[in-house]
Amino acid sequence: MRLRLPGLVHRRWLKRLGLAFLLGPPLLILFFRFVPVPVTPLMLLRAAQGYGLSKDWVAYERIDPALARSVIAAEDNLFCRQWLGFDFEQLRGQVEAALEGERPRGASTITMQVAKNLFLWPGRDPLRKVLEAWLTPHVALLWPRRRVLEVYLNIVEFGPGIYGAEAASQAFFKRPAARLTAAQAARLAVVLPNPLEWSAASPGPYVQGRAELIRRRTGQLGDLLDCAG
């Protein structure tokens, strides 16, 4: 009869846990390249907070292209040109600002937001930021940019308990996402930084003015929008 030493057993379990941590998220990311994302940590958190959960996954082709273009114009102008899902110039600026004692403004790209929404919790704590930075290149390397946009537009929060372009379009404008106007798309894109407070359906002066700015910027980005279709 062979005896297993406790220390050896613990080391084996630690190795298995380490392997699961390293391989699990990339395998899930690869899986979600082809399969709709059923739920995200933020959706579960908001549901527990009493906001409900309204979502309706639709293919990228069933979302008006104006929304993807507006989101890029509002959130991440260089999305179609980025390497590994990062805006390195913005990151460099944030590091320099932090070293000078200034408060970083954030340099989150669409790919980084997808990585965060898929696996992580909301917040700005250092651990979450490190995990987000580790997951982002996996998303960028394993998915084409069109898939990044498709997942983002289907899981992002557009309002309290409202996720994805189809649910938001139906809730706010009583129409499918395929029939969004440019003005409606811009309003949806503008509320993304603060969907619990800002409304695409009843925009205040700031949201309305910002939406007009995004519409103009969308027309100015030209080839920077080529991956959005």
Side-chain angles (χ1 to χ4, degrees):
M1 181 176 180
R2 296 175 62 186
L3 296 176
R4 294 186 177 181
L5 298 177
L8 181 60
V9 173
H10 290 162
R11 282 196 295 273
R12 286 179 177 173
W13 274 107
L14 285 174
K15 287 180 180 178
R16 290 172 183 171
L17 287 173
L19 194 61
F21 178 77
L22 289 174
L23 296 182
L27 288 174
L28 274 176
I29 290 170
L30 185 60
F31 177 73
F32 286 135
R33 173 173 176 170
F34 307 101
V35 177
V37 178
V39 71
T40 68
L42 180 63
M43 293 177 189
L44 297 176
L45 175 62
R46 291 282 191 256
Q49 292 172 338
Y51 288 107
L53 202 167
S54 175
K55 64 183 183 69
D56 186 6
W57 185 283
V58 293
Y60 188 81
E61 293 74 18
R62 292 175 56 195
I63 302 173
D64 192 281
L67 183 57
R69 294 167 186 160
S70 295
V71 166
I72 292 173
E75 297 279 292
D76 188 4
N77 290 181
L78 299 178
F79 170 75
C80 294
R81 299 289 183 272
Q82 285 159 5
W83 183 61
L84 295 181
F86 297 112
D87 185 335
F88 288 103
E89 179 123 356
Q90 285 273 5
L91 286 173
R92 190 181 308 115
Q94 295 309 303
V95 170
E96 291 173 356
L99 291 175
E100 293 174 2
E102 300 177 14
R103 182 179 178 180
R105 292 175 299 174
S108 183
T109 65
I110 288 173
T111 311
M112 293 170 71
Q113 292 179 56
V114 168
K116 175 192 72 174
N117 287 341
L118 276 177
F119 295 105
L120 305 175
W121 59 95
R124 296 181 177 273
D125 53 284
L127 175 60
R128 202 222 71 189
K129 284 293 186 182
V130 169
L131 292 173
E132 181 183 292
W134 177 64
L135 291 166
T136 296
H138 293 86
V139 173
L141 292 171
L142 293 173
W143 292 1
R145 286 189 176 91
R146 185 70 62 88
R147 180 60 175 176
V148 176
L149 286 173
E150 181 177 45
V151 171
Y152 183 74
L153 293 177
N154 272 287
I155 67 174
V156 72
E157 185 180 33
F158 283 105
I162 300 172
Y163 304 92
E166 184 68 17
S169 184
Q170 294 286 358
F172 300 139
F173 306 121
K174 309 302 181 187
R175 62 174 61 200
R179 293 179 50 227
L180 283 168
T181 68
Q184 291 165 345
R187 281 155 61 181
L188 285 173
V190 166
V191 303
L192 289 176
N194 194 3
L196 298 184
E197 301 293 333
W198 297 342
S199 172
S202 303
Y206 173 79
V207 171
Q208 190 63 47
R210 178 73 176 161
E212 290 299 322
L213 175 64
I214 293 306
R215 286 186 67 185
R216 292 196 298 272
R217 184 181 296 171
T218 301
Q220 296 165 353
L221 289 178
D223 291 346
L224 290 176
L225 298 173
D226 57 8
C227 70

